[in-house]
Amino acid sequence: MRLTRRSMLGATAMTVSMTALAACSKDPGNGGSGGSDGGGGEQIASDANDINAKERDELGEGGVLRLANNAFPANWNPNHTDGNEGNTTEMLEAIFPVLTLSDAAGVVGPNPSYTKRVELTSEDPQVMEIELNEGMTWSDGTPIDYKSIENVFKVMDGSQEEYGIA
């Protein structure tokens, strides 16, 4: 048998077609798990939370917090494109005040550690009212108040070039 360009193209087309058909075949019922366990693992509902939540009084004192970091970040601002890396964001979530939280179902609400209330009061223009908890301070004793939030927005919209100016 003589191999020609035409026969090679035909064989390639047939191989690609068969691969595509195999990829479109019906799931045999193992949940799409390509693994060897047959897909029999426990299913978690999409609105369920798999975090082992504990009350504060159930926790002990001390310990070590270890966070993975594969590279030193370009900057520590999670709102900037250079600082919005996965590992940087995970580290900052442990130390930055986060005003809102979302539950396992994706419902956003106030973070009780920092905010009493977060409410959308207007949609055009979009206006949010945020009621902060009283008595919060940064590590240097500076109050965490509306100025802290305002600074973030001013830096991000370009009207304030330097970080930390109140």
Side-chain angles (χ1 to χ4, degrees):
M1 175 178 194
R2 192 173 131 219
L3 294 177
T4 64
R5 180 182 167 148
R6 187 174 186 176
S7 65
M8 289 301 292
L9 287 174
T12 302
M14 181 178 282
T15 303
V16 169
S17 298
M18 291 176 71
T19 303
L21 285 174
C24 295
S25 66
K26 184 179 176 193
D27 180 11
N30 66 1
S33 168
S36 61
D37 66 353
E42 179 183 343
Q43 297 292 320
I44 298 174
S46 63
D47 63 347
N49 197 336
D50 63 350
I51 295 173
N52 185 15
K54 298 286 184 191
E55 293 296 324
R56 188 179 190 106
D57 60 352
E58 294 180 74
L59 301 175
E61 289 292 324
V64 176
L65 173 64
R66 291 188 174 94
L67 301 169
N69 184 17
N70 63 353
F72 195 76
N75 69 59
W76 291 99
N77 182 353
N79 297 315
H80 189 280
T81 56
D82 289 338
N84 192 14
E85 300 168 343
N87 61 338
T88 305
T89 301
E90 289 173 1
M91 286 187 285
L92 292 176
E93 284 176 349
I95 59 173
F96 268 18
V98 179
L99 302 179
T100 60
L101 296 174
S102 59
D103 64 13
V107 177
V108 177
N111 179 349
S113 297
Y114 301 101
T115 53
K116 293 179 185 177
R117 181 177 59 88
V118 176
E119 182 180 343
L120 179 65
T121 58
S122 173
E123 291 195 24
D124 190 21
Q126 190 172 48
V127 177
M128 297 285 299
E129 281 187 11
I130 302 169
E131 185 178 355
L132 298 173
N133 293 342
E134 295 176 16
M136 298 182 298
T137 60
W138 294 101
S139 58
D140 67 356
T142 305
I144 298 176
D145 58 12
Y146 79 92
K147 290 179 185 176
S148 300
I149 299 168
E150 182 182 49
N151 283 342
V152 172
F153 281 95
K154 284 184 175 181
V155 167
M156 297 312 297
D157 73 8
S159 63
Q160 177 177 303
E161 294 183 18
E162 194 172 323
Y163 297 108
I165 297 176

